[in-house]
Amino acid sequence: MKVFIVVALLFCFSTAYAEVTKGQMKTILERAKICMTKLNIPFNDSIPERALYNIDVTEKDLPYIECILRQFGFFDENDNMVPDEVVDFLSQKYDRSKIKPLVEKCIKVQGTLMERVWKYYQCFYTEKTFDM
């Protein structure tokens, strides 16, 4: 039964993440599984796809988004986002000259950790000038 669930997940995520590189997809899947398990999110929940493409994401999804960002190593030891880590990952697929200013702009937000995650996420998807 577990094999069936893993195969079904891989199929769903492979079609959902067609816009990212194969290496990124593998990494996203690994980290999504970690976060979904850690946060007790059912594997049939669409949060990985919704978060990646900003589809009906609300503040209740913040624990998952924060977990994914943390899994990617996008935070330092003081819970500040590290722009170079974000840019390096995204520039595997997208133009670095578009990614870097966007990330640097959106990381400059204030508030609690969750407020900063939410503001960063909203800024990124509002201000991006390229398709994902």
Side-chain angles (χ1 to χ4, degrees):
M1 184 66 170
K2 285 185 180 183
V3 172
F4 173 75
I5 292 171
V6 170
V7 170
L9 276 174
L10 288 174
F11 175 75
C12 290
F13 287 129
S14 67
T15 58
Y17 296 124
E19 294 297 318
V20 296
T21 67
K22 288 181 182 181
Q24 285 174 315
M25 182 174 63
K26 180 181 178 200
T27 304
I28 290 167
L29 288 173
E30 290 167 354
R31 298 201 169 118
K33 183 178 176 184
I34 291 168
C35 289
M36 292 176 82
T37 300
K38 179 180 176 183
L39 298 170
N40 295 316
I41 299 171
F43 285 113
N44 63 349
D45 192 302
S46 63
I47 183 60
E49 179 181 6
R50 291 186 303 107
L52 183 62
Y53 294 109
N54 192 28
I55 301 169
D56 299 326
V57 174
T58 66
E59 289 186 59
K60 75 176 183 70
D61 299 315
L62 276 175
Y64 173 81
I65 294 169
E66 183 266 338
C67 181
I68 283 292
L69 295 175
R70 194 167 298 285
Q71 288 295 316
F72 277 98
F74 293 167
F75 290 103
D76 66 15
E77 63 278 353
N78 297 316
D79 287 336
N80 295 309
M81 290 188 74
V82 181
D84 291 340
E85 296 295 329
V86 180
V87 171
D88 288 347
F89 181 77
L90 292 173
S91 65
Q92 294 174 36
K93 174 70 177 177
Y94 303 104
D95 183 348
R96 187 176 197 89
S97 67
K98 292 180 181 178
I99 293 291
K100 187 172 175 122
L102 174 63
V103 169
E104 288 175 348
K105 175 183 179 178
C106 292
I107 282 179
K108 295 179 183 178
V109 293
Q110 301 296 315
T112 67
L113 173 62
M114 288 303 188
E115 288 170 342
R116 287 183 285 127
V117 167
W118 183 244
K119 289 175 185 177
Y120 167 79
Y121 182 83
Q122 292 301 310
C123 175
F124 183 89
Y125 282 97
T126 301
E127 301 290 329
K128 72 180 180 58
T129 58
F130 53 91
D131 291 330
M132 289 192 81

